[in-house]
Amino acid sequence: MMKQYKIIFTGPVGAGKTTAIDSISDLPPVKTDATASDMTKLRKAGTTVAMDYGVINLDDGEKIHLYGTPGQERFDFMWDILTTGGIGLVLLLDNTRADPFQDMHFFLDSFRDFITDTTVAIGVTQMDLSTTPAISDYHQQLKKYDLKPPVFSVDARVKNDVSLLVQSLLFSLDPGLED
Ligand SMILES: Nc1nc2c(ncn2[C@@H]2O[C@H](COP(=O)(O)OP(=O)(O)OP(=O)(O)O)[C@@H](O)[C@H]2O)c(=O)[nH]1
Ligand SMILES: [Mg+2]
């Protein structure tokens, strides 16, 4: 029986969850983006209302299933559903948002039980548009929690960036998973 793993991407609206899964999925991803009137203030056309799904096929036939949550809190009933059976969380944060540390706090708190049972890796997107806060500032903030997750600058549109973040998550979970 080939092993199957599931990881979950979460983070605020526009952080790049849908884009990231698009970038690394080996199959055309399944998206549930809808246009909404309140999207006009964002740089993007759609927002996820249920989930994203993609998959990475590993060389040995194993699969990593990728699930993206909606960013909007009004769809937070999906968050528990999507984390069930997952082995780790990728938290994407948008560095151009008003208060990315507040976003980080909110999502670490919302997914606290899941993170306690599994592991988390953090990707900070849009650093080309806003260079502050710096990655070192995120590390500084994280000292307040009992967590030492990997934190990377990630462009969700770049496959290699997203791939490195996923690898760091798998590695923090089980060094044997990465080769
Ligand atoms: N300039 C820049 N744009 C980025 C970067 N990462 C992602 N984007 C863009 O930011 C937008 C992210 O949109 P989505 O992927 O829909 O975001 P999401 O997290 O799925 O949002 P919701 O589903 O609404 O919660 C897209 O237009 C991406 O092309 C980055 O590092 N730099
Ligand atoms: Mg989305």
Side-chain angles (χ1 to χ4, degrees), residues 17-19 33 44 46-48 52 69-71:
K17 304 173 293 292
T18 300
T19 306
D33 270 27
K44 62 202 196 79
T47 190
T48 302
D52 305 300
T69 72

Side-chain angles (χ1 to χ4, degrees), residues 113-135:
D113 290 347
F114 180 67
I115 293 169
T116 302
D117 292 346
T118 63
T119 185
V120 61
I122 297 177
V124 183
T125 65
Q126 336 271 351
M127 289 198 82
D128 53 316
L129 301 176
S130 172
T131 54
T132 55
I135 296 298

Side-chain angles (χ1 to χ4, degrees), residues 9-23 31-34 39 42-50 52 68-73 75 92-96 107 124-130 153-158 161-162:
F9 285 66
T10 196
V13 170
K17 304 173 293 292
T18 300
T19 306
I21 289 175
D22 228 324
S23 296
K31 307 178 207 183
T32 61
D33 270 27
M39 283 297 103
L42 294 172
R43 287 185 296 271
K44 62 202 196 79
T47 190
T48 302
V49 296
D52 305 300
T69 72
Q72 292 190 53
E73 262 182 88
F75 302 121
L92 293 181
L93 298 168
D94 173 354
N95 221 37
T96 67
F107 281 93
V124 183
T125 65
Q126 336 271 351
M127 289 198 82
D128 53 316
L129 301 176
S130 172
S153 169
V154 168
D155 187 326
R157 301 165 298 181
V158 178
D161 282 19
V162 182

Side-chain angles (χ1 to χ4, degrees), residues 98-149:
D99 190 347
F101 293 155
Q102 163 63 34
D103 293 335
M104 180 167 74
H105 180 250
F106 175 80
F107 281 93
L108 289 177
D109 199 49
S110 299
F111 288 85
R112 193 204 328 241
D113 290 347
F114 180 67
I115 293 169
T116 302
D117 292 346
T118 63
T119 185
V120 61
I122 297 177
V124 183
T125 65
Q126 336 271 351
M127 289 198 82
D128 53 316
L129 301 176
S130 172
T131 54
T132 55
I135 296 298
S136 55
D137 298 326
Y138 283 92
H139 284 299
Q140 198 64 35
Q141 282 291 314
L142 281 160
K143 285 184 181 162
K144 293 180 188 167
Y145 315 105
D146 232 2
L147 292 167
K148 253 186 157 252

